[in-house]
Amino acid sequence: QLGTLLRPGAAYDVMVTHPRTGALRRVAVTPEGLALAVRGLLYEPQLAVGLPYAVSEASVGRFGPLVTMASLLVDAVSESQTLGLMLSVVCSEDLPRIEASAAMQADATAGLAGAALLRQMRAACAAWQPRCADDATPLPASAMSAPDVPLLLLSGERDPVTPSRHADAVVRARGGVSVVMPGLGHFVARHGCGPALLGMFFDDPRRAANKLDCGLTTAMPAFTLSPVGAVAPASLSQPAPEVSP
């Protein structure tokens, strides 16, 4: 069903109900936009579970669930992300590395969502134009060495963008503590014991280091295949966070 929706040349002019105002609005849905919406929703397991139902509905012309889910995600990211800061990093670090490597460009554009994301990145960076240091050479790992500065890294077990192995590499290079939250994706700090753990870390890093097993258990919801919810309950809880000292 998703493959059919993403077929080249497809276009959908749909009427959907705004999830907050209840007003009807016309939305032009393209394969690229649809691919980016699905990619974004996969960042958040609590939303990703609704994708099978939303895609099934969209395949018969009912785009409401998918557009609503995507709108909720966009609103949440807009309220928590500093766009200027993100573009300053992406445009000065990520995009130059991609443009300098044919292999990275091929990998980035292998899928429909990747190709669309790279085009968006190029357009945004052309408009943002951050000032870059004269020497853009990445710092060696030894430059991060500051063992006297406490470091806490939170990762989601299912994060497709910044997996926990990245945090582990930082810990190996300069010390610190890496905590992997089971069942979570890219957004970690606001789930389970994340807020309390961050609060403790800022108040007293040594105290927080003793509370890393703060009892987080996350039950991965079952995939939603109907508007009334999951077809089967998620009865198994995940273990406590995995901690790497």
Side-chain angles (χ1 to χ4, degrees):
Q1 291 175 331
L2 182 59
T4 299
L5 290 168
L6 296 178
R7 68 185 185 277
Y12 311 95
D13 187 23
V14 299
M15 294 293 295
V16 297
T17 301
H18 192 282
R20 290 187 174 177
T21 67
L24 281 175
R25 60 175 178 169
R26 186 177 299 276
V27 177
V29 180
T30 65
E32 285 189 353
L34 183 59
L36 288 173
V38 171
R39 176 186 180 275
L41 290 168
L42 287 172
Y43 274 53
E44 183 64 87
Q46 284 72 18
L47 288 175
V49 296
L51 276 173
Y53 168 67
V55 169
S56 178
E57 287 290 285
S59 69
V60 293
R62 294 190 289 266
F63 283 82
L66 186 58
V67 171
T68 296
M69 290 167 58
S71 297
L72 293 173
L73 181 64
V74 168
D75 288 348
V77 171
S78 298
E79 293 171 357
S80 61
Q81 184 181 74
T82 303
L83 182 59
L85 175 60
M86 184 197 73
L87 288 178
S88 294
V89 174
V90 168
C91 300
S92 62
E93 298 184 12
D94 296 348
L95 186 59
R97 289 188 176 95
I98 294 174
E99 301 289 28
S101 169
M104 291 184 69
Q105 289 186 51
D107 183 61
T109 57
L112 183 60
L117 190 63
L118 183 57
R119 277 194 292 274
Q120 287 187 355
M121 188 185 300
R122 285 169 171 161
C125 291
W128 186 247
Q129 297 184 350
R131 292 185 178 181
C132 301
D134 293 335
D135 182 6
T137 303
L139 292 174
S142 58
M144 297 187 296
S145 180
D148 56 327
V149 178
L151 178 65
L152 172 66
L153 300 107
L154 302 180
S155 305
E157 178 189 25
R158 300 174 185 271
D159 187 351
V161 180
T162 53
S164 59
R165 66 176 182 273
H166 293 180
D168 293 338
V170 173
V171 169
R172 288 194 299 270
R174 55 87 66 209
V177 176
S178 172
V179 179
V180 181
M181 300 293 199
L184 298 183
H186 191 63
F187 306 109
V188 172
R190 64 174 179 257
H191 292 290
C193 64
L197 184 58
L198 285 176
M200 282 190 290
F201 179 77
F202 287 122
D203 288 340
D204 186 347
R206 290 170 297 181
R207 176 171 171 259
N210 296 323
K211 296 291 185 179
L212 295 177
D213 57 343
C214 54
L216 172 71
T217 57
T218 56
M220 280 298 295
F223 281 110
T224 299
L225 300 175
S226 81
V228 297
V231 295
S235 57
L236 297 179
S237 293
Q238 299 290 335
E242 177 184 331
V243 178
S244 300

